Structures are given as C-alpha cells and as structure tokens.
Amino acid sequence: MGQFAFGQPVRRKEDQALLVGEGRFVDDHVPASLAHAWMVRSPHAHARIISVDTASALAVPGVLAVLTGADLAADGVGGIPCTFQPPWPTGQAPPRPNHLPAWPAIAADTVHFLGDTVAMVVAETAHAAREAAELVAVDYDPLPAVADPLAAVAEGAPAVWPAVPDNVCFEWETGDGPATDAGFAAAARVVTLDVVNNRVVVAAMETRGAVGEWRDGRYVLRAASQMPHALRDQLARHVFRVPERQVHVIVRDVGGGFGIKNSLYPEQVLVLWAARRLSRPVKWVGERTDAFLTDAHARDNRSRAELAVDAEGRFLALRVTTHANIGAYVANKGLLSPVLNVPALVGPYLTPAVHVRVKGVFTNTVPTDVYRGAGRPEAVYLLERLVDAAAHDLGIDRVALRRRNLIPPERLPYKTPIWLTYDAGHFAANLDAALPAVDWAGFAARRAAARAAGRLRGIGLSCYVERCAGASHEDATVAIAPDGRATVLVGTMANGQGHVTAYAQIVAEMLGLDLAEVDVVQGDTDRVARGQGTGGSRSLVMGGSAIHGATTKVIDKARAVAGHLLETADADIAFAEGVFSVVGTDRRVSFKAVAAAAHDPRRLPDGMAPGLDAENEFKVGGYTYPNGCHVAEVEIDIDTGRPQVVGYTIVHDFGRVLNPLLLAGQVHGGVAQGLGQALLEHTVYDAGSGQLLTGSFMDYCIPRADDLPGFTFHMREDPAPANPLGVKGAGEAGCAGAPPAVVNAVVDALSPYGVRHVDMPLTAEKLWRIIQGR
C-alpha cells in the first residue's frame, strides 16, 4: 500500500498556508482604487419607509455614493431569486400556489425584518462609509410584526405580506395518506410528541464579505461561497440579465460555509452594482453583528409526530405535521430544508406507511436557508425523540424497541415509503458495535455513583440513515504537465473539508505521484467552466468520482503512449505505482517519462494529439446512504442544572474511507454543532416587536472546547454501490445524530422526575427549573 493510498490518514496539505497566515480570504483582496461599502439596516422588523434623506451622509468627506432602493429599481437590477420549490409528483398540483415575494437587494418601500437593508454607503475608507451610514436619515412608519411560525398562522396575526394574509408561503405533502390512516386505524397504541427544532445562527468563523469589480465589460465577484457557479448563473440570469460570460466569480479560502454560504445575498449584488456605477472596485465585509442580523438563520420548525404501533411494539405508520419558519423572504434554497430531506423520517426502520404535511410560514425574521444537514437533522431528531417517547409510553426498553423495528440486511435493497431505495447498510451492526463500546449494560452502576455524588446521569442513543450525494452530476479535468505534475480542476468548492488533500490523494494513488505533485483548482468560474459546488455531503462522492474518471482516462491515454515507447500492444501494458510495464517482462517506463513523451509529437503514436489531459463528467441517478448510531452519556448537576456530556461514541458506516483523519474531523465538527444546538444555541426574537434578543455572542452561546467531551469514533465500511469510489457522504452526519442522542440522554437523566420530553436547547436554567419544579 502506497503512502497516499486509499484509506491512509494523510495530513491536510492545505493547512500549512493557513497556519502561517498565507490563506486568501475575501478581506485579503485589495485591488487598486478600492472603495468600501457599509449597509444601512432597518431597526424595525416591519415598517413602511416614508423617506430616505441622504444629504448629510453625502457631505461626509470621502463618501462616493449613497444608494437607495429607488436607485436600484431605476437601474433595473433584479433581486434574490428562489432557486428551489417543493416538488410534487408529475400531474399533481399543490393545493395553493407558492408565494414568492420579490426580495430586492435594498428595500424600497417596506422593510420586513430587523436588518433589512435600506441604503448602501460607498466611500474611500470603511470608516468614512460607516460614519456616513449613521447620518442616513430614514423615516419609518412601524407596522405590527410576528416572529413565531405558529403565531403567524393564528387568526388575526399580522400579515408579513399584504398578498398573503394567512402568512402561508407554501403547503406540501408527501407519502401515502390512506395507507397511513389505515395503519393508525389498526394500531394498538398511538404515541404523539410535539417538538420544537430551535432556530440557530450559523456563526461561521469568517463573516460574509464580497468584493465587486467592473473590469473589461464584465462583473467580477470575489466572495466566500460554496457554489461559485450558481452565483455566476444567478447574477447573470436574474440580477443583471447578461450572458454568463459577462460574470466571473472567484472564491479562494472560505472560513466556514455550512450551507449558509450556498446562496446569493444582497450584498454580493450591491458591490457589483456599485462597482459598475463608480467604475471602481467596491468591498463590503460584514461584522459579527451583520452575521446575526442578516446571515440566513436555520432550523426553526414546530412539528407534531404521531406513531402507530401494534401490540408488540412494531411500527405501523408515522404521521408528521410541520410548520417551518421561512422568515420574511424566500432565500435561494429557503424552501428546501423543510421538504427535500423528509425521507430521513423513515430512518433505519420498517415503518410501512408514512405521511408528512408541511406548511412554510412567513414571519418578520431573517430568512432561513440550508444549514449542515438541510432537513436531515430536523427529521432525525423528530424520529429518534419519538421512538424514545414510544419506548417510554409502551414500557419497552429503548434498544429492544429499535431492534424490533430495524430493517434487516436481507431486505436490502429496501424501498422506503418515501421515495428512496436503500442500497447498502447493516443497521443492526451499528447498534451491535455501539452498545458494548459504551458499556451500556454497566450504565446502572454509573448512574448510582453519580446520584450519590449529587448528579443525575442519563444515557441516550440515536440511529439514523441519511440520503445524500447523488442524483446529480459533477465535472472534473485532470491536466498533466510534461514533468508529470497533475492539476485537478473540479466544480466543487472547499470551505474547510480538506478537498485539496482528498482529491490529491485520489490522483496521487492512481498515478503514483507524490501528494505535493498534485494541485487542485476550485472556485474560479473562468478556469473551471462548470460545477455544482459543495453541499449535501456531495463533494467526495461526486467530485471525487469525477476526478477518478478523469484520471482513469489519463491512464488510458498514457498507456497508449507507453505501448508505443515499449513497442508493444496496449493490452500487454500493466500500470501500477506510477510505472507502466510489459506483462511478463522487466521492460518498463515511468508515468513521468510517458508524460514527457506525450508532449513531444515525434514520440507519439500516429494520429494521437499531444498531452494526457482528460475531462470527465460523473453522473449518477441514485444516492448514498450513510448510517450510524450515536450514544451520549450526560450528567446534570442537581444544584445548578448544568448538563455535562461525559461520554460520546459514534459508530458510522461511511462506505469506503479515503482518509480517516479527514473523516474524523468532519464527524467531530458536525457533532460539535449538533451538541451546540441541543445544549446551548437558541436564536430568540421578541414575540411582539420582532427585535432580535440574541444579537451577539454575549446573548447567543456556541460551544467552547470545555463544553465538549472526547469523542470515540468507530468506522464501519459497507461500500456504496452507486459510485466507483464506494464512498458515502460524511459532512452532515455528526449534526444529525448528536441532538437526539444528547436530548434522549438528558430526558433519561430526568426520568426520576417524570420528564418525558424537553425541547432544545437544554440550558442549565431550563433544567434547573424542571428539577426545582418537580
């Protein structure tokens, strides 16, 4: 096995530059004649704009322009498009049209959430722009606001949009309603659980920023994005209405994306618009306050789940109703999370019938959008809390109830009641590995010891199956220089995952190169013509498979050259560890020697074009189905209510593992974000005014190192049949499994007090009040 072979824990090659300050983030780009922008934000969640007086701001030295919604409309600049709508089966229409109100980059007549942009100041310096922004005088007529999705659909609630008096953006359903009703009619018991999936701020390390330039008749945008080609397409088609070739998007290093940097934002539109008007580059870099006020928020669902079971505790049917908070406008993919990943509600269980209804609800809050998991964590949390509630209500052991309903391996491929066909996985094996690893059988003794020390101890688990990384395509090119050095051009976009290492590892192993001899290019829509970006745990599955296919084509081309050099038929040429050889002989030639020959027309077979470069498009109709089991053990201080995760074990099947270090990093990061939502994080708006009450890290708590336990991670490899690498998506599993595991553990710890359910986040105050109240 080579040093960079599949399965080797190769350290990240991109880290050295980041560690010594050589990363290239948005704010590091400083073109000549750069101007700076600052946004004027609405202090109201809902208000009419009576007037905008810019005179005092324009008088500030160094101010170049103060631009308003009227200026934007006069220039015919388009707004933020909705790029996803809930799917319906062919021939079936939704019960009502989806409402997709226009989202202008600057509000012209009405603001709809706290932080809505009402003007942009551009100046020679960021300080001057900020000073002038404070002098823009906006006269508002405040309007009633609503922040909670259930309050928004109540009778008499303020309308976020006059054209949508009931505040319902869309209604959607999937599954088999009649079959589900029949399952409930036949049930011995029905278990019901109401669950809040709390709203979170994503809090990426690098705040959003953008630099816009108007150069040689083209818009050039530098931004931190996960999907540069999608930005290019939207800017060309929907915003400026120009051919794609007139928009160039460049993305370098990205300090955290997590889904919220998938989408087009108003500031990206505005810096390009201002750059063209002023014939100067314009930069905007948001502060942390901007991130809380204007970055897309996530989650924020209210769901009721009902589970029908027979007398033996076998699942007969599942019924779910969800109200999803869309926010004030529809973000690019704002309608995706509430609907597209509801198949995760099936999980690893043999539930014959499922029916799901979803209402997307407008509120006077920041729009929500996809965030790590994009609906899968919400579904897994709902399902696994419901299963634990069923075990409680039925008096059946939690593990036994799960085992009784798991899909056995002999049933694969298994067609689920919502859309999917699981093609690989051994779900019981995850439990079989996890329970002894945490000494589940010995937990009672640990609980007794904790109680004697004044602490409540609980243990919880979650089992899940995700659907990700498929039914799509991705492009890659592998270019070979005369010295054998490889350059990979691929349409995904790294934002911390380690793409440069993973992709180089694939090519290095296949071609027998050193990792340092493989360069990876992403994030430049001029150099990489097509790409689907990064999201949905797709990059290694789709991008890696595209690179694998392109590298295979490189080898095939090189084999023909090697056969010519060795004067033998291609069929007699073997290739291994960077060397072509004639089978059964000691005649050989290195890949690097072949690369050199391939660039010399005199040394090529007749009719062969010089070079070994190859392009490949990888297409797949199916998905990958990563699956696993998380077990959390917690202790709660009875006097303070403070919960502490004292043990955390993950057993997961990600298919073949390319790089265990990269995989563990992805899982650990996901678990950290999942534990943050479960224990600490909660975005809170005032119910009456729509004011954000958690607008800084003074009020909004994200996990620190001492909030997290050490993680024990066990990898199971059940190769995915849907791609040539056999890998399964891994980026979002951690935050799917963590919330239900830790909440189940806390509820177990509180079981002496008769607690059946507690909504996230499980803060010390909340748990202290429960303990004192019981």
Side-chain angles (χ1 to χ4, degrees):
M1 178 180 290
Q3 180 182 2
F4 309 115
F6 216 102
Q8 292 299 296
V10 178
R11 291 189 176 275
R12 288 166 40 119
K13 64 179 291 187
E14 51 265 78
D15 284 353
Q16 180 62 26
L18 297 173
L19 290 171
V20 299
E22 294 177 357
R24 298 295 297 170
F25 297 91
V26 173
D27 203 21
D28 294 316
H29 183 58
V30 186
S33 302
L34 178 65
H36 298 265
W38 195 269
M39 305 301 159
V40 180
R41 309 288 193 188
S42 168
H44 301 282
H46 198 195
R48 293 187 186 90
I49 300 172
I50 305 302
S51 63
V52 181
D53 185 348
T54 64
S56 296
L58 285 167
V60 172
V63 169
L64 302 172
V66 181
L67 302 172
T68 67
D71 299 320
L72 191 77
D75 282 0
V77 177
I80 307 301
C82 169
T83 59
F84 174 90
Q85 295 193 54
W88 286 85
T90 302
Q92 186 174 346
R96 55 185 284 173
N98 299 335
H99 292 285
L100 307 174
W103 183 2
I106 300 178
D109 52 21
T110 305
V111 292
H112 293 279
F113 69 92
L114 178 75
D116 213 350
T117 303
V118 295
M120 174 176 63
V121 178
V122 184
E124 296 286 357
T125 67
H127 177 78
R130 183 171 189 166
E131 179 185 352
E134 294 175 356
L135 298 177
V136 175
V138 184
D139 186 13
Y140 296 98
D141 177 19
L143 298 169
V146 63
D148 181 85
L150 292 183
V153 295
E155 186 174 354
V160 178
W161 295 95
V164 192
D166 62 358
N167 289 322
V168 175
C169 170
F170 73 88
E171 293 184 42
W172 180 84
E173 66 179 89
T174 193
D176 190 330
T180 300
D181 292 343
F184 276 85
R189 292 284 298 275
V190 172
V191 178
T192 301
L193 186 67
D194 292 326
V195 166
V196 174
N197 204 287
N198 46 316
R199 189 181 186 102
V200 294
V201 168
V202 176
M205 184 179 294
E206 181 193 17
T207 59
R208 289 189 300 108
V211 180
E213 299 179 63
W214 175 251
R215 189 192 307 159
D216 299 326
R218 302 178 76 203
Y219 294 99
V220 182
L221 174 70
R222 289 180 183 261
S225 173
Q226 297 169 235
M227 296 185 171
H229 295 86
L231 288 192
R232 177 196 64 187
D233 297 349
Q234 291 176 54
L235 288 166
R237 184 177 303 121
H238 298 284
V239 176
F240 298 114
R241 302 178 185 92
V242 297
E244 276 183 9
R245 65 180 179 275
Q246 284 185 233
V247 179
H248 181 195
V249 176
I250 303 168
V251 181
R252 295 294 185 241
D253 292 311
V254 179
F258 311 114
I260 65 139
K261 290 179 182 171
N262 277 356
S263 296
L264 179 66
Y265 280 89
E267 295 85 358
Q268 294 162 341
V269 172
L270 295 177
V271 294
L272 289 171
W273 172 54
R276 181 167 185 177
R277 284 180 65 113
L278 300 173
S279 297
R280 290 181 62 172
V282 176
K283 176 191 285 188
W284 171 82
V285 175
E287 294 190 338
R288 186 58 60 183
T289 297
D290 290 288
F292 276 95
L293 288 176
T294 65
D295 285 8
H297 292 178
R299 314 300 192 221
D300 205 358
N301 295 339
R302 311 291 186 272
S303 296
R304 168 163 290 185
E306 301 168 280
L307 182 66
V309 299
D310 68 13
E312 285 74 42
R314 290 184 174 83
F315 303 163
L316 300 178
L318 172 65
R319 182 187 290 136
V320 173
T321 302
T322 292
H323 288 79
N325 194 341
I326 300 304
Y329 300 96
V330 179
N332 270 180
K333 296 182 177 65
L335 307 188
L336 187 152
S337 295
V339 303
L340 192 63
N341 284 313
V342 297
L345 286 165
V346 176
Y349 304 118
L350 285 163
T351 309
V354 178
H355 188 226
V356 182
R357 288 191 177 96
V358 180
K359 281 187 179 180
V361 182
F362 287 120
T363 62
N364 294 111
T365 63
V366 180
T368 56
D369 209 337
V370 292
Y371 166 54
R372 202 167 192 167
R376 279 161 284 180
E378 296 93 315
V380 171
Y381 177 70
L382 181 62
L383 176 64
E384 286 300 287
R385 281 297 301 125
L386 181 63
V387 172
D388 254 34
H392 172 276
D393 292 1
L394 301 173
I396 300 176
D397 176 77
R398 293 173 287 169
V399 175
L401 183 62
R402 286 175 168 84
R403 286 195 185 279
R404 195 169 301 175
N405 288 282
L406 287 176
I407 301 166
E410 60 269 18
R411 291 286 299 272
L412 298 180
Y414 176 77
K415 184 173 178 57
T416 77
I418 305 183
W419 310 349
L420 306 179
T421 300
Y422 296 164
D423 56 7
H426 195 320
F427 310 133
N430 296 328
L431 269 178
D432 294 340
L435 299 181
V438 302
D439 186 21
W440 185 278
F443 172 72
R446 300 194 295 279
R447 168 175 269 172
R451 190 67 182 87
R455 297 186 298 274
L456 302 171
R457 195 170 181 117
I459 193 168
L461 76 159
S462 63
C463 300
Y464 54 93
V465 181
E466 295 189 287
R467 177 274 306 265
C468 56
S472 182
H473 62 97
E474 192 55 78
D475 296 276
T477 297
V478 176
I480 306 297
D483 62 357
R485 190 177 188 88
T487 298
V488 175
L489 298 99
V490 64
T492 58
M493 184 62 233
N495 45 96
Q497 298 91 337
H499 288 188
V500 171
T501 302
Y503 293 158
Q505 198 170 344
I506 294 170
V507 176
E509 181 192 27
M510 293 181 70
L511 299 182
L513 299 175
D514 188 275
L515 205 69
E517 296 176 305
V518 183
D519 299 313
V520 177
V521 176
Q522 303 174 89
D524 187 322
T525 60
D526 275 8
R527 296 190 66 187
V528 183
R530 299 179 302 278
Q532 304 304 307
T534 289
S537 301
R538 71 184 301 277
S539 291
L540 186 58
V541 175
M542 302 301 299
S545 294
I547 291 165
H548 177 275
T551 309
T552 299
K553 292 179 179 180
V554 167
I555 294 171
D556 290 341
K557 286 185 175 183
R559 179 178 281 107
V561 178
H564 183 70
L565 296 176
L566 296 171
E567 299 179 337
T568 191
D570 297 0
D572 295 329
I573 299 290
F575 181 62
E577 298 183 1
V579 176
F580 291 96
S581 60
V582 179
V583 176
T585 75
D586 61 358
R587 297 167 59 204
R588 58 184 54 204
V589 62
S590 70
F591 174 78
K592 291 182 178 180
V594 170
H599 286 80
D600 184 349
R602 297 168 301 174
R603 303 179 67 191
L604 294 176
D606 291 341
M608 184 174 183
L612 299 177
D613 300 358
E615 298 178 0
N616 186 60
E617 181 185 31
F618 176 69
K619 292 183 178 180
V620 63
Y623 298 91
T624 69
Y625 297 98
N627 57 91
C629 176
H630 289 211
V631 182
E633 201 159 332
V634 303
E635 286 190 351
I636 303 171
D637 186 299
I638 293 176
D639 294 328
T640 66
R642 182 177 184 269
Q644 181 180 5
V645 182
V646 296
Y648 202 96
T649 295
I650 308 143
V651 175
H652 212 296
D653 165 23
F654 288 113
R656 291 184 69 211
V657 176
L658 171 65
N659 186 319
L661 284 178
L662 294 182
L663 178 58
Q666 285 290 292
V667 173
H668 290 181
V671 170
Q673 286 183 299
L675 293 180
Q677 182 184 10
L679 297 173
L680 303 168
E681 300 183 45
H682 192 195
T683 307
V684 181
Y685 283 90
D686 180 80
S689 68
Q691 291 293 314
L692 181 63
L693 304 181
T694 51
S696 75
F697 287 135
M698 294 292 290
D699 313 298
Y700 186 93
C701 187
I702 60 174
R704 305 173 187 175
D706 61 354
D707 292 314
L708 303 175
F711 300 125
T712 302
F713 180 30
H714 300 272
M715 304 176 193
R716 291 188 54 257
E717 295 192 46
D718 191 350
N723 65 83
L725 301 177
V727 298
K728 300 176 183 178
E732 295 154 308
C735 64
V742 75
V743 174
N744 286 343
V746 168
V747 171
D748 181 54
L750 295 173
S751 59
Y753 297 88
V755 173
R756 180 176 180 264
H757 176 67
V758 184
D759 277 321
M760 302 184 290
L762 308 179
T763 61
E765 179 187 354
K766 182 182 290 186
L767 300 186
W768 180 84
R769 291 184 181 279
I770 290 172
I771 292 168
Q772 298 305 310
R774 302 297 173 99

